[in-house]
Each structure stands twice: as structure tokens, then as C-alpha cells.
Amino acid sequence: MKVRSAQYFPPFLLLLIFWFGSFSVFAQTEEWIEVYFNMPADHSMATPGNESNSEEDLIATLERIIDSAKVSVDVCLYDFEEKRIAHALVRAKERGARVRVITDDHNRTDGGEYDEVIWEILAEGSIISMDDDGDIYTPDGSIKDNNLVNSGSQMHNKFAIIDYLSPSPDDDYVWTGSTNMTYTGNYNTNHTIIIKDTDIAKVYTEEFEQMWGSDDEEPNPEHAGFHKNKVNVSQNIFDVGGTKVEVYFAPIDRDRKKPSVSDRLVKLIEEEAQHDINFQAFAITPGIPISRQMWTQTAEGQILLRGAIDRSFYSRYRSAGEIWGSPEARLGNRMILQANELRTLHHKIILLDVEHPDPNDIAVTVAGSYNFSMNAEMNNDENTLIIYSDEISNQFYQDFMGVISRAKEESFPPAPPLDTEKWYEIFSVSDGSRFEIEIAPGFGYSVRFLGVNVPSIYAGEDSAYYYSGAAAQYLQNLLEGKKVRLKGYQGGVPEARHNAFQAYVEINYDGNPVSLNKLLLEKGYGTTSAYYRQNTDSTAAFKKYEEVARSSKAGLWRNPDKTNSKTLRADEVDTGSPTNIMYPININTADEATLQLLPGIGPAYSKRIIEYRIENGGFGSIEEITNIRGIGPKILEKLRPIVTID
């Protein structure tokens, strides 16, 4: 859905345009805003004719707009792994467009093998890039090293400017939002925004060139400024085809002369929220002014407060007894929920008065890359849009209510695309009843065994089901170094329930496909299950496998009376290698030997982890582990599903 508005030209201006012979020299003929979402929305919330663009390929929204570029492309990306975008930039360069790329130093240098492919593509396409340390990466493969003032801050932007260098104002676009150009960007819950407006393209170019250090193709690190070393752009308030839009860039500058994004959002909430406040947040620090304003403004019960927070941060707030995880956050006019998304709820969105009953009131959307945290305000490069529009806000509201539906488990996240003929790498094994396949680098998705009930180590608190330790150990040993293929009913794509495929699993054993479901039953590591749709012949065969195991007293059938009974989890752990089946591992309490069983963590890293938590009183979040020297985003993504801080 686009919000469009054609420009009106009075007769005298039309005469001048006719006289000078170029309509586009003077003004844009059309200005508009488009928004896109990658997860299912609740379209029942759509106003007439305003259904949102949901379940979209968000990487493609940037790829398409780069492919439209004729004169110039500037991209500013926190993390850059998507080869589709790299190839699109090379195509633009081959068409003669000027292409400039800025990235984050931490992701650039710690990205590992996945990111290296990106820089090779850009180098072969003669594209220069620079990071927020001022390092310049040239097409010949050399690096011009610089050391700008960084202090651990992040260049966290995700934006692109298309054809601002063109003399025509009618082809200027800005692309932005919450979506990182990573392998997992399309699996995280995200949004993108495209704005066709010359003035907005201008200020995004101003922000870009402060970081680039020049207004031409070559960056100039001597004049480049990142983080607190930037001044405000020339304009913050715009009219996009009749829609008021505000644009702000973080962080605050050293002299505090730039507009504070935090201050602006606090004032916005105070002045604009008359009926409801809604937010979706990867993180929203409870003690910051934005959080305090939402909380106090809804204290009397007259204004609705609804929110969804990514599970990793929500659990932290709940454990710490912070407001967002407190019982009061789910009482009366307040409903703050833990998100239940396919992977990460990555939005940074505030919606004000989207359900307002006053026809004279206008709903407001806050979106962009700005996480609701002190780091975003004080340290990181971010961009924030404030859009005054009932139509745009309603589209964001449809996405919001889809997230709320999943948080309430009234609906469930869509499963990632699966190729039933592909052999997938094993991402992790944390329990005998399930494992994860690697859908994309850094993203594992759970698999359960269709037709087989394998006892689980996790039966609540410190209890486990009988024989679950042995089952987990067997599965881990069996899958080590192997690949698997999944199929569902009649060989189709497996059903996905509760964030897991229910599948017939084939293991690639020395080049031969072997049924893992069959092995588990034959060896006595599971019992038959009637849940989910199954092939009739498989159901009959599985009952025979179970009967054979029972007759031979294999596995759990040695003590059939204990089947499906619970025991202490510690009793189910093989004391020789307990952590192999005791994921998640608590990085706040584990010893060095235990930590070394995590992927990518050797003796040096385990020692640093323990030293860090002694010096800092433990980890406040899983993400904090990247403060350990040598542990970057890629290791973090491997660790995230199998570690905890609780």
C-alpha cells in the first residue's frame, strides 16, 4: 500500500516550467511512502483499502530499488552478508552509477567467512567501502587503515539513498527500516520503509557524507565523523505528499546541540498519545526516559499500553523484576507480552493512537533502526522516522496485532522455507526429542520426530522424563558430522507446530539415507506417537518397530513401568559428559570445562568469560558475551539457542 499525493502547480509556475522546458527541474511530481513487513499480519485490523504488505521478502525491497538506480547509490549497513545486495550494487556500478558503501567495523572485521564473500564481490565490482573505524577497503584488496574515535560504538544504521546525485528531483528515494542485510534478516521479524522525496533524500545524504568524509566517490577519513562526532542535518521536519514526517539521527553530539531522539520521543508520547500506546521492541531498557514516560502516562488507566518484547530481553526484564516483566505490566489497561516469533523480534516501533475514536486525531508511527536504549541515544549511529498518518500507522498496527496474536499463542510463526530434497547441516542437539537444522548461517530451526515420542530432558524445573539422558546422548552421537533430510506426510514439506517441524528424518549415513525415526524406535529410545498427520504405512511399520524393541527389552523397555515417568534431571545425565545433553548452559555459572563444550569456545575464551563475569558481576544479557575479545556476532548466533543467563 502506498500513500501518494501529486504536487499542485499554480498557473504561473506551469508557465515557467513550460518556458524553461523541464518539468522535473522544479519539483517532484509525486511523493509517497511505502512500508513492508515479512511476517503474517492481522489484516482484520485493516481500514478499508489499506491492507498492509505482509510476508514480503524484505531483502528484495532493497535489491529492487538498487536495480532502479541510474546515477547514484549510497548504502549504510550495520551488517552486510547478503550476496543479493552485493550483486545489485555491482550491477548499479556497471550501469555507470556512483556506488558508496559504509559498514560497521565490528561486523566487518569479525564477520568471518560469510562476510568475506561480500567484500570479494564488491572488490571485483570496483566498489570502495569504509567502516566506522575509517578503514577503507579498495578494489585491489588492500586496506587503508585508520583509527577514528570509536570507543566500541556501533554504526547501526540500515539505510540507502538512490539517485540523489541525479539532477532530477523525481527519482530520489530513501530505503530504511529495521532490517539488516544478513542471512537471518528475513527470518527476524522486521520492516522496511521506502520514501520518495527529494528533501528527505537530501538529509540522508548529508548524514551519509558526514560519515564518508566527502561528497565524491572517494571517502576521506580525515574529515569523516561517526557517532558523537556528527552535527545535525539541515532539516528535520518534512511534508511528503501531504504527510508530515520527522527524521532524526542519533547519537547525541558531544556539545549536545543536535536534537535528542530520546527527548523528542518522550515529548511525542506525552503530546500525541490520547488513547493508546503500542510498541514492538527488540530491546526497551526499563529505566530510560521513553519507558518511564509510557509507564507513568498509562498509570491512571485512561490510556491503553500494549507491547511485545523479544524473548531474550523480556526474560531478562522479568528475571530482574523490571517493569516490563512485572505482573503490573499485564493488568488492566496494560498488556506487555513476550514475543513468540520465528527467530528474533527485531522491530523498533512505537504506535500512538492507532485506535483513536476522534476523527480529527492522527495516528503516529515511530520506526527505524533506533533501539530504545541508552546505547542508541548516546553512542550508536541510528536513524529514526516519525510519520503522522492514519494509513501508514494502520499498516504498522496490522503487523503489530499479528505479533500480539503469536505472543498469545492464538497463532504461530510461519515455518522457514524447506527443501525436502536438500541435506541440511545440524545446527545443534540439545535434547533427544528434538534437534535443529541450519536453515541459514546463524539460524537453527527445531525438528521433532513425526510418529515417535522421545523422552525429553526438559519436563519442568529440574525434572526430566525417564531415559531422556540416554536418548539425548544417542541422538547427539548419531548426528555428529552428519546431514539430514526432512519429509512430511506423503513426502511433502513437514507440518510446523510450536516452532518445530514434525518430520520423518533421514540421516545421510555413508551416502545411504537411513530413517532416524525407525532407528529411535528399534533401539528403544522412543515410543510410537499418534500426534500429527502420518502416512498409514509408516504408522503400521512404527508399531512393529516398537514391538520388536519391547520384546527384546531394548533401551527404555528394560523398565517399561518407568516409561513416561519423571525423575530428577541430574539422575538422567551421563556424568561422564553432562553438558552434551544439558543445554542450555548458563554462562553466568558454568566452569571452564563446561564452557569449552560450547561451539567456538576454547580454553582461552572460557577463561576470558569467567574473568569478565568476575569483573562485571555476571552477564546481564546473552548479547553481552560479544564484549569478550574475539567473540563476534557469528559466534553469538551459534551460542544464542544453547546458552542462558538465568
Side-chain angles (χ1 to χ4, degrees):
M1 166 66 188
K2 300 179 182 180
V3 175
R4 295 178 177 270
S5 178
Q7 293 283 359
Y8 169 74
F9 297 94
F12 76 91
L13 184 54
L14 288 172
L15 181 61
L16 288 174
I17 291 169
F18 175 78
W19 183 265
F20 287 102
S22 178
F23 187 81
S24 61
V25 165
F26 291 90
Q28 287 181 281
T29 57
E30 192 176 34
E31 300 169 344
W32 46 257
I33 303 169
E34 295 178 346
V35 295
Y36 298 88
F37 309 93
N38 65 329
M39 290 295 157
D42 183 351
H43 287 145
S44 71
M45 297 296 168
T47 53
N50 194 45
E51 190 169 290
S52 64
N53 297 309
S54 60
E55 300 185 76
E56 293 279 345
D57 178 352
L58 298 184
I59 307 301
T61 64
L62 178 56
E63 184 181 22
R64 287 195 301 265
I65 201 168
I66 292 173
D67 281 337
S68 76
K70 300 177 180 64
V71 180
S72 62
V73 181
D74 295 330
V75 294
C76 200
L77 300 174
Y78 169 61
D79 203 354
F80 193 176
E81 298 172 341
E82 262 291 346
K83 290 184 286 186
R84 292 160 58 187
I85 302 306
H87 287 304
L89 292 172
V90 171
R91 290 194 296 269
K93 179 78 172 180
E94 290 172 347
R95 292 194 301 273
R98 183 190 69 183
V99 178
R100 305 185 293 186
V101 178
I102 292 175
T103 61
D104 176 70
D105 168 64
H106 181 66
N107 284 316
R108 174 74 194 237
T109 56
D110 294 342
E113 59 181 299
Y114 306 123
D115 283 358
E116 287 304 315
V117 176
I118 295 298
W119 313 127
E120 291 170 6
I121 294 170
L122 295 186
E124 291 173 2
S126 301
I127 294 173
I128 298 172
S129 64
M130 184 174 76
D131 63 31
D132 62 333
D133 194 40
D135 297 337
I136 300 171
Y137 299 82
T138 62
D140 64 9
S142 64
I143 302 173
K144 298 178 182 178
D145 185 59
N146 291 282
N147 291 289
L148 297 182
V149 177
N150 196 337
S151 301
S153 300
Q154 297 177 340
M155 200 301 297
H156 193 244
N157 277 306
K158 316 98 171 45
F159 70 75
I161 312 122
I162 306 298
D163 280 348
Y164 182 68
L165 190 63
S166 165
S168 168
D170 206 38
D171 53 8
D172 300 345
Y173 301 89
V174 168
W175 173 98
T176 187
S178 64
T179 307
N180 288 317
M181 290 298 108
T182 59
Y183 290 111
T184 56
N186 256 343
Y187 299 112
N188 296 332
T189 301
N190 273 311
H191 69 277
T192 60
I193 304 170
I194 300 176
I195 301 180
K196 183 178 185 288
D197 183 89
T198 252
D199 291 332
I200 288 182
K202 175 186 176 184
V203 296
Y204 271 89
T205 301
E206 290 172 4
E207 180 75 1
F208 183 95
E209 291 185 344
Q210 287 192 76
M211 295 181 280
W212 192 250
S214 79
D215 60 1
D216 57 29
E217 190 166 7
E218 295 284 335
N220 185 347
E222 292 184 5
H223 294 113
F226 290 86
H227 315 309
K228 294 183 179 181
N229 296 319
K230 297 179 298 180
V231 299
N232 193 30
V233 292
S234 61
Q235 186 178 351
N236 297 108
I237 302 175
F238 306 87
D239 183 325
V240 181
T243 297
K244 179 181 175 182
V245 176
E246 299 180 37
V247 178
Y248 299 98
F249 297 96
I252 198 75
D253 60 324
R254 297 185 186 280
D255 298 329
R256 293 184 175 269
K257 293 181 179 179
K258 285 175 64 176
S260 158
V261 177
S262 175
D263 289 351
R264 180 68 194 104
L265 295 185
V266 167
K267 186 176 180 182
L268 182 80
I269 294 165
E270 180 182 10
E271 294 179 347
E272 296 292 336
Q274 308 299 318
H275 183 269
D276 54 84
I277 301 171
N278 314 271
F279 68 83
Q280 297 189 70
F282 174 60
I284 179 165
T285 308
I288 61 173
I290 295 168
S291 293
R292 293 200 302 268
Q293 183 63 38
M294 290 182 182
W295 194 258
T296 57
Q297 196 164 335
T298 58
E300 296 181 1
Q302 297 175 343
I303 297 176
L304 298 175
L305 175 60
R306 294 169 294 194
I309 303 172
D310 183 69
R311 61 173 69 93
S312 60
F313 280 92
Y314 183 91
S315 62
R316 175 182 174 182
Y317 304 149
R318 182 176 55 196
S319 298
E322 302 280 7
I323 56 171
W324 297 130
S326 69
E328 292 80 7
R330 300 183 71 164
L331 292 175
N333 61 312
R334 293 174 175 149
M335 183 181 66
I336 311 301
L337 303 175
Q338 173 178 288
N340 180 33
E341 295 301 290
L342 174 60
R343 190 172 180 274
T344 296
L345 178 67
H346 198 241
H347 285 314
K348 308 93 171 52
I349 293 169
I350 298 174
L351 306 175
L352 305 177
D353 283 6
V354 288
E355 287 189 347
H356 63 79
D358 183 356
N360 296 316
D361 194 9
I362 297 177
V364 182
T365 293
V366 177
S369 71
Y370 182 95
N371 282 315
F372 307 121
S373 68
M374 287 305 294
N375 267 337
E377 175 69 10
M378 302 300 295
N379 300 312
N380 298 341
D381 293 312
E382 311 278 7
N383 72 102
T384 301
L385 290 165
I386 302 174
I387 304 170
Y388 297 77
S389 167
D390 283 341
E391 291 79 9
I392 293 295
S393 298
N394 177 254
Q395 292 174 39
F396 274 94
Y397 185 52
Q398 294 169 50
D399 178 75
F400 172 75
M401 292 306 287
V403 169
I404 292 297
S405 173
R406 294 187 287 276
K408 292 179 175 180
E409 296 194 346
E410 296 171 348
S411 62
F412 294 93
L418 182 86
D419 184 348
T420 58
E421 297 304 317
K422 178 179 178 180
W423 292 95
Y424 287 89
E425 300 277 356
I426 305 301
F427 186 80
S428 68
V429 180
S430 58
D431 187 73
S433 65
R434 71 161 66 198
F435 63 95
E436 291 188 339
I437 58 172
E438 188 171 66
I439 295 293
F443 177 35
Y445 191 75
S446 288
V447 179
R448 288 186 176 274
F449 299 100
L450 182 60
V452 184
N453 179 28
V454 180
S456 173
I457 288 176
Y458 304 102
E461 297 183 353
D462 63 348
S463 64
Y465 287 103
Y466 166 68
Y467 217 67
S468 59
Q473 191 70 61
Y474 175 75
L475 184 65
Q476 187 169 60
N477 291 339
L478 195 64
L479 289 178
E480 185 175 1
K482 303 294 194 302
K483 293 182 179 182
V484 296
R485 185 168 62 185
L486 309 183
K487 295 186 185 297
Y489 179 72
Q490 294 185 343
V493 174
E495 291 183 64
R497 303 283 184 86
H498 305 284
N499 287 352
F501 287 120
Q502 313 293 327
Y504 296 121
V505 182
E506 291 181 332
I507 183 171
N508 191 341
Y509 199 86
D510 295 334
N512 298 310
V514 176
S515 169
L516 189 49
N517 305 56
K518 176 184 177 182
L519 283 176
L520 290 168
L521 288 170
E522 285 182 328
K523 302 291 185 181
Y525 289 107
T527 59
T528 56
S529 169
Y531 292 109
Y532 306 107
R533 187 168 55 162
Q534 302 177 41
N535 298 332
T536 304
D537 55 350
S538 295
T539 302
F542 283 8
K543 288 180 180 178
K544 291 181 181 179
Y545 304 146
E546 180 186 74
E547 186 56 39
V548 170
R550 185 197 295 265
S551 299
S552 62
K553 295 185 178 181
L556 56 79
W557 296 114
R558 294 169 193 165
N559 294 288
D561 293 340
K562 291 186 178 181
T563 302
N564 295 323
S565 65
K566 294 181 182 180
T567 183
L568 287 174
R569 189 175 297 168
D571 293 342
E572 282 299 323
V573 174
D574 176 2
T575 54
S577 53
T579 54
N580 285 349
I581 51 174
M582 282 299 290
Y583 293 129
I585 290 174
N586 191 325
I587 57 175
N588 274 332
T589 60
D591 59 19
E592 286 191 43
T594 302
L595 289 168
Q596 289 172 33
L597 288 161
L598 292 167
I601 304 299
Y605 287 164
S606 64
K607 184 177 181 180
R608 290 175 197 169
I609 289 171
I610 290 176
E611 289 173 350
Y612 179 89
R613 73 190 191 205
I614 291 172
E615 293 173 3
N616 296 275
F619 294 92
S621 70
I622 292 171
E623 288 72 19
E624 200 175 326
I625 201 169
T626 57
N627 291 340
I628 306 298
R629 179 165 54 87
I631 298 180
K634 300 302 181 300
I635 292 180
L636 169 64
E637 293 309 310
K638 286 281 189 183
L639 297 180
R640 194 191 297 277
I642 54 174
V643 300
T644 182
I645 60 170
D646 295 333

